Structures are given as structure tokens and as C-alpha cells.
Amino acid sequence: MSELKSASDTYKGWLFKWTNYIKGYQRRWFVLSNGLLSYYRTQAEMGHTCRGTINLATANITVEDSCNFIISNGGAQTYHLKASSEVERQRWITALELAKAKAVKMQAESDDSADEEPASQTDKTEVQNTLRTLTSKVEDLSTCNDLIAKHGTALQRSLSELENLKLPPESSEKIKQVNERATLFRITSNAMINACRDFLLMAQTHSKKWQKALQHEREQRIRLEETLEQLAKQHNNLERAFRGATVLPASSALSTGSVKGSTSSRDLSDEDDENEFFDAMEDVAEFITVQADSRYHRRTGSNISGASSEGNFEDQILEEQTSSSNTSSSTSTVELANKESGSKQDRRSRIPDKPNYSLNLWSIMKNCIGKELSKIPMPVNFNEPLSMLQRLTEDLEYHELLDKASKCENALEQLCYVAAFTVSSYSTTVFRTGKPFNPLLGETFELDRMEDEGFRSICEQVSHHPPAAAHHAESKYGWTLRQEIAIASKFRGKYLSIMPLGTIHCTFHQSSNHYTWKKVTTTVHNIIVGKLWIDQSGEIDIVNKKTGDKCHLKFAPYSYFSRDVARKVTGVVMDSMGKAHFILSGTWDEKMDYSRVLHSSKGENSAEGRQKTVYETLRGKELWKRHKTPEHADTMYYFSELALTLNEPEEGVAPTDSRLRPDQRMMENGRWDDANTEKQRLEEKQRAVRRKRESDASRTSEGATHVESSYRPLWFEKREDPYTKELVHLYKGGYWEAKEKQDWHLCPDIF
């Protein structure tokens, strides 16, 4: 039976943690402290080797039964835990909930002050000087107290002497009144002196406590840095050992190269062992071909986990479906492609090669653990020469999927294409480890491809704190896409989590079908040492607001011990009654297939006790396939064909367009030192504008607390979304008209 120990806000004890199907639940020593839940194989490991940590500020705590509970932070980490008794489980749940509440409060306070620079030696000196000044002032107060007591006693003595003299009755009465008042003054002074003495004692006591607490925090920081550096060295040694012991075949270099750095850490930690268990717990299915009939396949499972080796759609012969709507859609699509190919403009296919600058990432990132990435001043060495607005526009790389969807007469088939478009937006991120530039407030980016590809889009940075961008795209083929995305990101030491916040809307004009969905979490692994690699994980529900149809997609987190396809995405397209009509499968970096469901039935229970669903489907057909990677992409930040053209200079764009941003242009041209200097100038200029806005707001009745709300974007306005009922920035029009007239007098000078 595990023993639970508590010391102030720290809880320690034994729990059983699920690792994998081979080992099952394993006994681990857990420590809950400062909003972080960490675990070790033994108590002796606490001084040197932490097996995993989860931040409770962003975690969900779920109770399964009398002894089991789950802690998850949205897909990147999930702990399945079991206590030895219901009482002990309740003790842990109570401690976890209290710690989570404190962590959320601390995070909010941290975010409010996150604009300030990290503590420096100057800050420490200032704290020490303040403490010395406080001590000096308290000593002055003590001296004043002594003087008051001394003069009060002398005054009382003089009044007593006057009272003993023989004076007229009137004078005696006056002296008596003064003597009474002096007595009251003496009593009051003594009370004040006692209060000051108590304050002095308390200030001295707490001053020592504060100094001790400050010193303790400094020592804790040093120990944490030493521990992380030791972990980095161990990780590096294990990675070299792994590379020496493993030889990768040439054919798998691309698919496994991005996760080499993560495999070495599996020897040290069982933190990700539960990923396999986490996958198996979701309502998704493993496809298994069990019938020889070539017309359809029978698929089964409680997990939609992608095509297995037995059900690989790439090796199957695709069959034609007899739907007339599909035929007309295919014909119109071919005509559309033929029409576009004849008018496509010539655009650049190369940018200057990325310079080989060396920089100590750890020296910068060790001061950023647990902070919001968008509020950390970073050199351009970690960037790529594109802004977040341009990265947002990259969602339209496979816009032809929406063109095809607009031709579909069947809403469920249309939903399949929308789902494929959703997945395709992640295909450009597989090797893109560079951070895009944070847009300046008021910065815009337009992409006008109406003549050759039939669409155009406009983005604007509408908020700085929190950073948020609004995007509006329209097509002559009958669809409109809009979104407002804010990025929440946290650096956790060995990985970086990026959580896009906001809803994406897509409307098809002919059918009036309106679809909404959100983005999944992006995780950048091996921040400290090893090869950086990116994973997408989480779930997406694409909902047709008109019909109630829904597509449930799952992006499975990568697990080194899993035999499934890496970067796997699976999903089910259902009508408003919950009946499955299509099964989707593939990967977010390569392709997506869909299969029509002929029949579904309940199968046997899985090992976890969940009842499987058996689907009988037609053979899979290809929905989407990633474009070929440009030549020499590895020297050009792994940009896609579209990304290479986004920063190409164009005439007639707004003066706030990202193409005109000087630090970004300098970085693209290889002048990184100049880009860093220019980046600091632009950021200081933005801060000066914000200070002026604060000063102007402070003169009004609203006060400076409404500084951010006083800013008004130029091309978007804040209104209530008719579907989500949230306040979002919607395109109000006018940009393309202003471009046609070349009337940019309303644009701010941000560069």
C-alpha cells in the first residue's frame, strides 16, 4: 500500500501508472509540487532522474472508478493512474484539484507580467538595495519613537511642576486641562510606540524570511539548471549510442529521421509508454481486411487508427462509384484544372539558402521554461523568413479540395473533402521547425490568386496581447473561408506545445452548408538536444451547422513503441443521427483516403471492455495527396512550393504587408545580424506606439485598462459570430477596393 506524505503544498506517494500492454501498471513514486506532477521509478531517483512531468495548469483530471483516474493535458501527455484504495485516490484527487487551482491562478498572474524581462543581476541588486533602505527607514522610525517618549516625559514633568505652583484659580484650571491633554497624548504616544516596536520586530523578522526565500529560489533555479544540463548530457549520450547501434534503411530515412532524437529518451523514461494505451482507449478503429470479395472490405475496431498493413489502400485498385454526382464533380474538376493550368503565373521556386549560423539554444531557452512563447524576445536564428500571417495563409495550399467540395451535391461527400482540406493544412509542417515572425499590430498579408487559381485572401494582426490574427478568403468557385486564430504556446523544457485557439468557418454558397472546426495541438520535441521533430495530436470535430452532419478526426500522437503508421489520421463521417457513411484514413503529411460504409454492426469487446464496431466498406479512394517537395528544400527551411512564393515582392500591396517587413527580408537574404538589429528596432517602435496609446487612454474616462480595446483593426471589425455567439473579428470589406485605387492613406506606419 502506498504511503502519502504531505509537506505544505507538496504531496508525495506511491501510485500505479499504466506503461504498456506488456508491463501493465507499474509502481511509481509521484511528487506534486508547485503545480507540477512528476514521477520517478524510486524515491532515490528524485535527486537526479525525473521520468516525466505534467503541468496541472493545463491538465484535465478525470476519475474513472473507485481507484483509477486520468490526468491529461490535451494529447501531448496522458497519465493513467491507479491508487491502492478509494480513500487514497480521493486524497490524491483533492490534492491535485487544489494544486491545479493554484497553478491556474499563478499562470494568470505570470501572463499579466510576462512582458517584463527575465530577472537579471540588476533586479537582484535592486531587491537587496530595497531591503537595505527599508532597514534604514525602520531604524529612523525607532529613533523617532525614542525622541517622542523622551520629550513626552519631559513635558509631563514640566506640567506637574506648574500645577504645584500657587497660581490664580483660572490659571490652575487651564494648567489642569493641559495636563489632562498631555496625559492623553502620553497614552496615545505609548500606544503608537508599542505599535511601532511591534512593526519593527515584524519587519525585521519578515525581512530575514524574505531574504531566505529569495536565496532559496536562487538555489532552486541553479539546481534546476544543473539537473536539466545533466539530463541534456545523458540524452545526448543515449542518442549517440542509439545512432551507433541502429542503421536505418534508405527507404525509411524520411519517415524516421525526424524522430531519432526522441527514441533515445525511451531508454531513460517510460513517460511515453502510455501513448499506446492512450490510443487504444479512444473511439477509433483498426482496419482489417477479412473478406476476399473485391467489392468491399470489412473493417472492425473500437479505434479508427488508420490503414494497417493488411488494409493498405495504396496497393489496392480503386473502383469507380456509380454516383452521378461524383461523375459530374470529376468532370467539372478536370475542366477546372485544365482552365487553371493555362493561366498560372510564373513565380519563384527558390530563395537564398539558409546560412549555417551556430547558436546555443539552451543558453536562451533555459530562462523561458513555462512562459508564453509569443512573449519571449527571440533572435531571428530560431525563425523562418515568414510571418505568422503567411503561415496562416498556407492553409490554402490545397484550396482545390474546397473547389471540388463546392461541386458536390451530396453533403456527406462534401464533408469528406472538407476533412481532407483540414488535414492537408498540416502537411507543410512536418520538417518546419523554424518559428514564424510574430506579426506587428496592424500588419497585413494578402494573397491574390484570383486570376490563375480562383481565390484571394487577406490576413490582419488584430490584437497584440493576446496575439491574434484574422483571416478571410474567398473563391470564385463558390466558397468562403474565415478564421481568427490566437496562438497559446508553452515551453516545457524538452518540448514546446503550440495550441491554436479559435474556430475556422467554411461556407459553400450554392448549398449554404456551413462547416466549423478547430485546430489540433502541435508539439516540437527535442528542444534541448537531438534532432528537432514535430508531431500533431488531438481530435477535430467538423460540424455542418445546416444539416448536423459531423466528421470526427483523430490525429494520433507518435509513439516509438507503436506499430501503427507514423503521423496517422483517421476519422468517421456521420449524419445528424450518428450513422457512419464514410471512413477516412491516412497521414497528415502524405495522403488521405475515404471509403463508403455499406454496413456497420457491433462486434466483440476489446481488451479494455469497449465494444468494437465492424464496418463493411467499399475499397478506398484517394481524397488528397501531398505535392512533391521542392528540390533543395532542406536548404530553404523546408518550404513548400506555395511557401517559397509567399514572401516574393509584389507591387501594389498595402504598406503594412508582411512582404515589406525589413527584418524578415534581411533574414531571407541571409543578413541575420542586421535582421536581429532591425527586429529590435521594430519591436521598440511598437512598444512606443503602445505607450502613446496608453497615455491617450489614461486621459479619457475609460482609463488605461482599456488600451488594447481602444485599438481598431483596419479591415476587420469585432462582432458576434452568428454560429458560435463569440466576439470575433470579421472581414468588413474595403481592402481589395483600396488596392484597386491604391488608396492606402488609412494604413498605419508600422515598419
Side-chain angles (χ1 to χ4, degrees):
M1 180 177 177
S2 60
E3 177 185 0
L4 182 65
K5 301 178 181 179
S6 65
S8 66
D9 291 335
T10 301
Y11 291 83
K12 304 177 183 178
W14 291 102
L15 288 172
F16 292 91
K17 176 180 175 293
W18 179 272
T19 54
N20 53 46
Y21 286 110
I22 299 175
K23 297 181 180 179
Y25 282 97
Q26 296 291 316
R27 194 166 181 253
R28 297 287 182 261
W29 179 256
F30 279 81
V31 177
L32 173 60
S33 178
N34 296 325
L36 300 175
L37 180 65
S38 306
Y39 73 93
Y40 311 83
R41 286 186 177 171
T42 63
Q43 291 177 259
E45 282 189 346
M46 288 179 59
H48 55 84
T49 307
C50 177
R51 300 288 169 174
T53 300
I54 193 167
N55 190 338
L56 295 179
T58 57
N60 293 321
I61 304 170
T62 307
V63 176
E64 280 199 315
D65 53 33
S66 59
C67 295
N68 292 14
F69 58 99
I70 300 173
I71 304 175
S72 174
N73 65 356
Q77 290 174 292
T78 302
Y79 294 169
H80 294 262
L81 306 175
K82 186 196 320 188
S84 58
S85 67
E86 185 174 358
V87 173
E88 185 179 354
R89 186 220 64 193
Q90 189 55 46
R91 293 171 69 190
W92 273 104
I93 292 296
T94 302
L96 289 167
E97 292 290 357
L98 289 173
K100 177 181 177 180
K102 291 182 180 179
V104 170
K105 182 179 179 181
M106 290 175 62
Q107 186 180 43
E109 293 172 353
S110 173
D111 289 342
D112 291 341
S113 60
D115 286 337
E116 299 177 2
E117 295 292 328
S120 61
Q121 187 62 37
T122 304
D123 299 325
K124 298 175 183 177
T125 304
E126 184 178 350
V127 170
Q128 293 172 351
N129 291 338
T130 302
L131 288 174
R132 282 196 292 268
T133 302
L134 177 62
T135 302
S136 175
K137 294 297 182 182
V138 169
E139 290 175 354
D140 292 344
L141 182 61
S142 178
T143 302
C144 291
N145 287 341
D146 293 340
L147 289 173
I148 288 174
K150 178 180 178 182
H151 291 303
T153 302
L155 176 62
Q156 189 74 33
R157 191 184 308 113
S158 299
L159 290 172
S160 298
E161 291 174 354
L162 282 174
E163 193 173 356
N164 293 330
L165 294 176
K166 294 182 178 180
L167 295 173
E170 294 180 358
S171 300
S172 299
E173 188 66 25
K174 289 289 184 182
I175 292 174
K176 186 176 181 181
Q177 291 177 359
V178 172
N179 197 8
E180 290 176 352
R181 291 176 182 176
T183 302
L184 291 175
F185 173 77
R186 180 172 57 82
I187 294 172
T188 306
S189 298
N190 287 335
M192 188 191 73
I193 291 170
N194 292 332
C196 289
R197 187 178 292 111
D198 293 340
F199 170 77
L200 175 62
L201 180 61
M202 186 178 298
Q204 290 174 340
T205 303
H206 283 279
S207 175
K208 294 177 181 178
K209 289 183 179 179
W210 292 335
Q211 287 177 329
K212 289 181 180 179
L214 181 61
Q215 184 61 30
H216 175 71
E217 290 299 324
R218 290 174 183 163
E219 293 173 355
Q220 286 283 83
R221 182 189 180 93
I222 293 172
R223 280 197 292 269
L224 176 61
E225 291 180 1
E226 291 174 350
T227 302
L228 286 174
E229 287 177 344
Q230 183 181 9
L231 174 62
K233 292 176 182 178
Q234 293 176 351
H235 195 154
N236 199 22
N237 293 335
L238 287 170
E239 185 181 47
R240 281 201 291 265
F242 174 78
R243 287 175 177 171
T246 306
V247 179
L248 293 175
S251 62
S252 63
L254 283 178
S255 62
T256 60
S258 62
V259 294
K260 287 179 183 176
S262 69
T263 56
S264 61
S265 63
R266 313 292 177 173
D267 299 332
L268 177 67
S269 170
D270 63 355
E271 176 186 358
D272 293 326
D273 289 348
E274 70 272 25
N275 283 347
E276 183 178 1
F277 173 75
F278 177 74
D279 296 345
M281 290 299 292
E282 301 302 315
D283 290 327
V284 269
E286 184 175 355
F287 299 161
I288 305 173
T289 304
V290 295
Q291 293 196 8
D293 191 338
S294 62
R295 291 184 297 105
Y296 61 90
H297 293 292
R298 192 165 182 239
R299 307 170 187 276
T300 181
S302 60
N303 284 3
I304 307 279
S305 57
S308 67
S309 59
E310 298 176 357
N312 191 345
F313 292 151
E314 294 181 4
D315 298 329
Q316 296 173 355
I317 301 175
L318 302 182
E319 293 187 359
E320 293 290 339
Q321 294 187 0
T322 58
S323 170
S324 60
S325 62
N326 279 354
T327 304
S328 62
S329 174
S330 301
T331 303
S332 60
T333 302
V334 171
E335 292 174 353
L336 177 65
N338 291 337
K339 181 163 55 176
E340 290 181 358
S341 62
S343 61
K344 194 166 185 177
Q345 299 179 12
D346 291 333
R347 294 186 172 87
R348 69 180 186 180
S349 59
R350 278 201 64 84
I351 60 174
D353 289 348
K354 178 182 179 181
N356 186 20
Y357 282 93
S358 61
L359 186 68
N360 186 356
L361 176 64
W362 173 242
S363 65
I364 296 176
M365 299 302 285
K366 69 181 181 181
N367 295 321
C368 307
I369 297 175
K371 294 188 178 180
E372 180 72 33
L373 186 66
S374 61
K375 297 179 181 179
I376 298 171
M378 302 282 279
V380 301
N381 305 56
F382 302 126
N383 286 30
E384 61 179 20
L386 289 178
S387 76
M388 181 59 73
L389 302 181
Q390 292 164 313
R391 283 292 291 268
L392 202 59
T393 307
E394 278 192 75
D395 286 358
L396 298 171
E397 173 136 4
Y398 297 92
H399 61 90
E400 63 270 12
L401 291 169
L402 297 182
D403 297 341
K404 294 177 183 179
S406 67
K407 304 296 181 182
C408 288
E409 298 178 4
N410 185 310
L412 292 166
E413 292 178 7
Q414 186 179 73
L415 183 51
C416 291
Y417 281 106
V418 175
F421 172 79
T422 303
V423 176
S424 72
S425 64
Y426 297 97
S427 63
T428 63
T429 66
V430 61
F431 297 117
R432 298 272 291 278
T433 55
K435 174 184 175 290
F437 279 77
N438 291 332
L440 303 173
L441 188 62
E443 186 174 335
T444 61
F445 179 74
E446 67 155 78
L447 187 67
D448 189 355
R449 300 290 170 86
M450 188 64 78
E451 291 185 4
D452 54 346
E453 298 183 55
F455 76 94
R456 63 186 182 185
S457 82
I458 174 68
C459 292
E460 182 179 3
Q461 187 75 2
V462 295
S463 173
H464 185 57
H465 288 302
H471 180 207
H472 180 89
E474 55 194 29
S475 169
K476 65 182 180 182
Y477 299 115
W479 56 264
T480 301
L481 182 81
R482 64 176 173 88
Q483 56 183 320
E484 180 180 347
I485 299 295
I487 301 295
S489 52
K490 290 292 183 180
F491 175 57
R492 302 301 185 190
K494 61 180 180 179
Y495 67 90
L496 172 71
S497 294
I498 303 169
M499 296 79 71
L501 309 175
T503 304
I504 305 172
H505 299 255
C506 184
T507 305
F508 294 96
H509 305 159
Q510 185 175 355
S511 62
S512 299
N513 287 329
H514 185 103
Y515 299 91
T516 62
W517 66 91
K518 296 179 181 290
K519 290 179 175 286
V520 295
T521 298
T522 299
T523 306
V524 184
H525 294 270
N526 289 353
I527 295 293
I528 301 177
V529 293
K531 183 178 177 64
L532 291 174
W533 61 280
I534 290 178
D535 195 20
Q536 312 286 351
S537 59
E539 298 181 7
I540 297 176
D541 282 328
I542 308 173
V543 180
N544 186 335
K545 294 294 186 178
K546 177 184 176 183
T547 65
D549 302 336
K550 183 174 75 171
C551 175
H552 180 77
L553 290 173
K554 181 188 176 186
F555 290 65
Y558 176 80
S559 174
Y560 177 70
F561 297 100
S562 174
R563 297 181 179 179
D564 282 325
V565 179
R567 310 182 186 102
K568 177 182 58 183
V569 180
T570 51
V572 181
V573 175
M574 300 168 285
D575 59 23
S576 58
M577 303 301 294
K579 180 183 177 182
H581 289 263
F582 292 96
I583 298 295
L584 307 180
S585 62
T587 59
W588 53 262
D589 66 323
E590 285 294 338
K591 60 176 293 189
M592 287 295 292
D593 296 328
Y594 76 109
S595 303
R596 185 183 293 274
V597 175
L598 299 178
H599 179 68
S600 63
S601 60
K602 296 298 182 181
E604 299 177 354
N605 288 343
S606 64
E608 298 81 32
R610 298 202 175 199
Q611 192 172 34
K612 298 182 179 181
T613 302
V614 179
Y615 295 105
E616 294 180 359
T617 70
L618 291 171
R619 288 181 181 271
K621 297 187 67 177
E622 187 176 273
L623 267 176
W624 159 78
K625 188 174 183 180
R626 182 171 63 94
H627 296 156
K628 184 180 178 182
T629 304
E631 292 185 11
H632 310 294
D634 57 329
T635 65
M636 299 185 295
Y637 308 90
Y638 287 100
F639 280 178
S640 64
E641 182 180 344
L642 174 63
L644 288 171
T645 68
L646 292 180
N647 209 41
E648 185 175 10
E650 289 188 15
E651 295 181 358
V653 299
T656 53
D657 197 274
S658 299
R659 299 176 180 89
L660 304 176
R661 182 166 174 164
D663 54 348
Q664 188 172 299
R665 180 66 60 190
M666 290 174 181
M667 182 189 178
E668 182 183 282
N669 293 331
R671 298 163 53 197
W672 284 18
D673 291 337
D674 294 339
N676 277 317
T677 303
E678 185 64 16
K679 182 173 180 287
Q680 293 176 6
R681 182 190 71 82
L682 290 174
E683 290 171 349
E684 180 54 40
K685 182 176 182 179
Q686 181 173 240
R687 283 191 286 268
V689 173
R690 177 179 173 84
R691 285 194 292 269
K692 183 178 184 304
R693 201 159 57 244
E694 288 176 351
S695 176
D696 294 342
S698 64
R699 299 191 188 101
T700 67
S701 59
E702 293 179 348
T705 56
H706 298 274
V707 174
E708 200 65 43
S709 62
S710 67
Y711 175 78
R712 294 291 182 268
L714 189 55
W715 311 112
F716 292 80
E717 62 181 353
K718 204 165 192 177
R719 301 201 306 264
E720 183 182 89
D721 189 294
Y723 295 95
T724 64
K725 304 304 178 183
E726 300 172 345
L727 283 177
V728 296
H729 287 87
L730 302 177
Y731 180 59
K732 63 181 180 181
Y735 179 86
W736 303 109
E737 293 78 6
K739 181 183 180 183
E740 185 177 356
K741 298 176 183 178
Q742 285 298 292
D743 180 11
W744 303 117
H745 73 280
L746 294 176
C747 293
D749 176 20
I750 60 174
F751 298 142

